[in-house]
Every structure is written in structure tokens, then in C-alpha cells.
Amino acid sequence: FSEYGVLAPKSKADYAFLLHGLYHLKSSGTMAIVLPHGVLFRGAAEGKIREKLLRSGSIYAVIGLPANLFYNTSCRKPFSDTLWLKKHRDGRDVLFIDASKKFNKGKKQNEMTDAHIDEVLALYSKRETVEGEAVLASFDEIEKNDFNLNIPRYVDNFEKEEEIDLDALLKDMEKTDDELKQVHGEFVSLLKELTSSDEAIMSSLNELIGRMER
């Protein structure tokens, strides 16, 4: 852990596990580790370790997984994450893949099918930007984001809402307004046809009609 200058906090040992695995990784190997979402953006000591890993090019890819995928874990938020690391490689870019929607919903546990896994592996192998699914981010872009690896900062998977036709909407509103005025007038006419021998009732009725005609 010495080359990172700080130790992972005792309360959150995620980076301790990560660095231990990376240390024992062969120089030609690839390491994947499942971690909770916070490892991508938490600051303090974890932020310093993450920055060091990014500057050295050790973080190769970040893949966001569906929620409620693993047994006996608390990874039930938008998604848990896998970090893919290599010890020695050319370049410091990072591939971000949002696979959080690639699952079949189960009663107690969600499941990624073989088809879902193949889709993610294809994105990983291509290592290129695919709209709404993956982004190959440069080191400069990551540095501008203060080494924050939160996937939504890079992959925009929000579905665009259908554009509203304002002219059509205004015409509908005008039509509705005209219909309301017509109904209002017809209701007032019906009230005027009402009669009663009780002066108090007629007084209240006339007052109501007067208010509605203002």
C-alpha cells in the first residue's frame, strides 16, 4: 500500500481489498472486482487512491451492474459496480459501461441472462463509445471531473421524452376554454329558470347567479 501514500479507511475497506488483489496480479493479468457504488466518487483517502490508480493507468474499465443482483450483499442501490484493472498498459483512458438495465426481474433476486452478459462482453471487447450504453473516456476528461468515476457523468442512458407540440397544445387549451365558457353559460341559464316561493332561497339564488355572471 505504500506507493499510494495513504491507507484505505478502516470504516470502508473496499480499496484495501482492491489494492491487495492488484498487488498480487501478474503483470500481464486483468483483475475484476465487485464493489459498492461509493468507491467511484468518495473522497479523502479513497479519492487519493483512486486518483493514483487513474494516473498510473491501472483502472481499465468501470461496469455498472443491475441492482439486487448478488445474494447476501447490500448492493441494492441504482447499481453495484465492477472495476477492471491492469498493472501495465499503454494509455490511461477508461471504458464506462452502464449495464444497470440488462437484467430480468425476479421476485427476490434479479438475474442477468447469458444474452445480457454477452452484450456487456461485446461492449467491453469493442472498447468504444456506444450511445446510451458505453463511453470510452480520455484521462483529460476524467481529470476534469476531479477523478470522479460515477458512471452517469459519462454514460447518458436517459430516454428522451417525446417533444411537445406547443401549437397543438395551445389550440387544445383554447378549445377546452371555449367549451368551459359554453358550459358555464348554459348552467347560468338553467339557474335563471329556477324559481321558489321562498324569498330567502330566491335571494341566495340571485346572488349566486350574479357572482357567476361577473
Side-chain angles (χ1 to χ4, degrees), residues 1 56 103 139 141 167 174-176 213:
F1 305 111
S56 66
F103 69 94
F139 177 81
E141 184 179 356
D167 289 336
E174 290 175 359
K175 181 181 178 182
T176 301
E213 287 184 328

Side-chain angles (χ1 to χ4, degrees), residues 41 96 135 141 144-156:
F41 54 81
F96 292 86
V135 167
E141 184 179 356
K144 288 177 182 178
N145 280 322
D146 295 324
F147 302 101
N148 186 320
L149 300 181
N150 200 10
I151 294 174
R153 281 180 175 256
Y154 304 92
V155 183
D156 182 5

Side-chain angles (χ1 to χ4, degrees), residues 98 130-135 151-160:
D98 184 355
V130 177
E131 186 176 356
E133 294 189 278
V135 167
I151 294 174
R153 281 180 175 256
Y154 304 92
V155 183
D156 182 5
N157 67 353
F158 292 102
E159 296 180 1
K160 293 183 179 179

Side-chain angles (χ1 to χ4, degrees), residues 135-192:
V135 167
L136 183 60
S138 67
F139 177 81
D140 290 340
E141 184 179 356
I142 295 169
E143 187 175 29
K144 288 177 182 178
N145 280 322
D146 295 324
F147 302 101
N148 186 320
L149 300 181
N150 200 10
I151 294 174
R153 281 180 175 256
Y154 304 92
V155 183
D156 182 5
N157 67 353
F158 292 102
E159 296 180 1
K160 293 183 179 179
E161 295 183 359
E162 185 178 349
E163 292 185 4
I164 298 174
D165 187 336
L166 292 178
D167 289 336
L169 179 61
L170 288 172
K171 288 179 181 178
D172 286 341
M173 291 175 65
E174 290 175 359
K175 181 181 178 182
T176 301
D177 190 48
D178 291 340
E179 290 174 350
L180 287 173
K181 289 179 180 178
Q182 181 180 347
V183 172
H184 180 84
E186 291 174 353
F187 183 61
V188 171
S189 297
L190 290 173
L191 289 177
K192 289 181 177 180

Side-chain angles (χ1 to χ4, degrees), residues 4 15 17 29 45 81 89 92 94-95 111-112 116 125 127 129 148 160 168 203 207 213:
Y4 297 92
Y15 275 101
F17 289 112
D81 304 286
R89 72 178 180 104
R92 295 185 293 177
V94 177
L95 177 67
E111 177 186 11
M112 292 185 75
H116 292 137
S125 298
R127 195 167 177 80
T129 296
N148 186 320
K160 293 183 179 179
S203 176
E207 184 179 353
E213 287 184 328

Side-chain angles (χ1 to χ4, degrees), residues 68 108 196:
N68 199 19
K108 294 184 178 180
S196 173

